[in-house]
């Protein structure tokens, strides 16, 4: 994969960019794991042709206990581990989903959105947007009928897995200001945007 990346950078941007990439990678202290020829025994992998395109990579990742992959190869998303392995690979894809981008706009503009999932519809104010466990997530405040004209008596916070959302659109409701339920939220590990931090930064000028 390292060789392929260097070749791609050289072809797209020139030899200088490829050399800078290699030098920075080498100096970063990152561990480079070689794939030994013949390590990826086809008999050790599920007998589906899709999985045999890169058997060495799958076998190496299983041996090292790697469960997250940044890749353009659709085979990684479809791959399922051998019996006894805990879970399939979590794919870190390029860019963000359409749902993520709408929630991002809603958070920046402080506008509630209406989300549909599992046949149910809820109006929410997205407060924290980011990732956890290799998937897009949002920590949101639910807007109910009693909170549309005043601060909710009892706030309801939920964690949304964006891959489970069927539809999202802006709602004609006021944004609800509410403090977080505790010092630490466990919905989003890698925070992309935090509405409270943005509001605090804006107030400070």
């Amino acid at each position: 994969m390292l060789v392929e990346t260097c070749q791609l950078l050289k072809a797209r941007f020139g030899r200088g960019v490829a050399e800078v990439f290699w030098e920075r990678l080498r100096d970063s202290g990152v561990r480079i794991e070689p794939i030994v020829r013949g390590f990826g025994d086809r008999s050790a992998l599920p007998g589906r042709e899709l999985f045999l395109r890169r058997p060495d990579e799958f076998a190496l990742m299983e041996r090292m206990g790697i469960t997250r992959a940044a890749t353009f190869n659709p085979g990684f998303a479809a791959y399922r581990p051998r019996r006894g392995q805990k879970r399939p690979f979590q794919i870190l894809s390029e860019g963000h989903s359409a749902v993520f981008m709408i929630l991002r706009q809603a958070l920046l503009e402080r506008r509630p959105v209406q989300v549909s999932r599992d046949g149910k519809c809820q109006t929410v104010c997205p407060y924290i947007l980011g990732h956890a466990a290799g998937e897009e997530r949002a920590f949101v405040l639910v807007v109910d009928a009693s909170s549309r004209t005043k601060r909710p008596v009892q706030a309801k916070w939920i964690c949304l897995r964006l891959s489970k959302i069927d539809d999202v659109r802006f709602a004609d409701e006021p944004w609800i200001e509410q403090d977080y339920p505790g010092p630490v939220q466990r919905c989003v590990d890698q925070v992309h945007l935090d509405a409270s931090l943005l509001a605090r930064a804006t107030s400070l000028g």
Side-chain angles (χ1 to χ4, degrees), residues 72-175:
F72 296 104
N73 189 337
F76 280 84
Y79 177 73
R80 292 298 177 269
R82 290 177 291 169
R83 182 175 300 178
Q85 299 292 329
K86 291 183 178 180
R87 56 183 178 177
F89 295 135
Q90 296 173 354
I91 304 302
L92 308 180
S93 58
E94 180 189 30
H96 298 296
S97 67
V99 172
F100 188 101
M101 296 307 295
I102 293 176
L103 291 182
R104 183 179 187 277
Q105 182 181 352
L107 190 155
L108 290 172
E109 298 178 2
R110 304 181 80 77
R111 297 172 60 187
V113 293
Q114 194 175 71
V115 297
S116 300
R117 55 179 183 144
D118 300 327
K120 298 179 180 179
C121 186
Q122 289 178 302
T123 301
V124 302
C125 294
Y127 265 79
I128 298 180
L129 191 61
H131 298 80
E135 65 178 3
E136 297 175 336
R137 293 189 184 182
F139 189 54
V140 304
L141 175 67
V142 177
V143 179
D144 57 26
S146 63
S147 64
R148 291 175 182 173
T149 57
K150 60 182 180 179
R151 187 188 187 95
V153 177
Q154 185 174 3
K156 181 180 179 182
W157 295 89
I158 61 174
C159 182
L160 292 180
R161 300 172 61 187
L162 305 195
S163 62
K164 303 297 182 180
I165 294 178
D166 302 317
D167 184 54
V168 58
R169 60 189 65 190
F170 290 103
D172 187 19
E173 304 286 352
W175 178 271

Side-chain angles (χ1 to χ4, degrees), residues 10 13-14 28 36 38 42 64 70 107 118 121 129 155 172 188 192 205:
K10 181 179 178 181
F13 306 106
S28 70
V36 180
R42 293 191 177 196
M64 297 182 66
L107 190 155
D118 300 327
C121 186
L129 191 61
D172 187 19
V188 179
H192 177 74

Side-chain angles (χ1 to χ4, degrees), residues 2-115:
L2 177 59
V3 173
E4 291 174 350
T5 302
C6 287
Q7 292 290 350
L8 178 62
L9 290 174
K10 181 179 178 181
R12 293 281 183 88
F13 306 106
R15 181 175 179 177
V17 173
E19 290 179 349
V20 169
F21 166 77
W22 163 243
E23 290 172 0
R24 291 184 179 179
L25 183 68
R26 181 190 57 197
D27 296 339
S28 70
V30 68
R31 174 183 173 184
I32 299 176
E33 185 72 18
I35 298 179
V36 180
R37 183 178 297 276
F39 177 80
D41 182 4
R42 293 191 177 196
S43 63
L45 295 170
R48 299 184 184 180
E49 184 177 354
L50 174 65
F51 302 150
L52 300 181
R53 296 176 183 175
R54 306 302 292 269
D56 289 328
E57 293 175 5
F58 292 132
L60 177 66
M61 292 175 72
E62 283 194 352
R63 177 171 67 82
M64 297 182 66
I66 296 173
T67 58
R68 304 173 71 189
T71 178
F72 296 104
N73 189 337
F76 280 84
Y79 177 73
R80 292 298 177 269
R82 290 177 291 169
R83 182 175 300 178
Q85 299 292 329
K86 291 183 178 180
R87 56 183 178 177
F89 295 135
Q90 296 173 354
I91 304 302
L92 308 180
S93 58
E94 180 189 30
H96 298 296
S97 67
V99 172
F100 188 101
M101 296 307 295
I102 293 176
L103 291 182
R104 183 179 187 277
Q105 182 181 352
L107 190 155
L108 290 172
E109 298 178 2
R110 304 181 80 77
R111 297 172 60 187
V113 293
Q114 194 175 71
V115 297

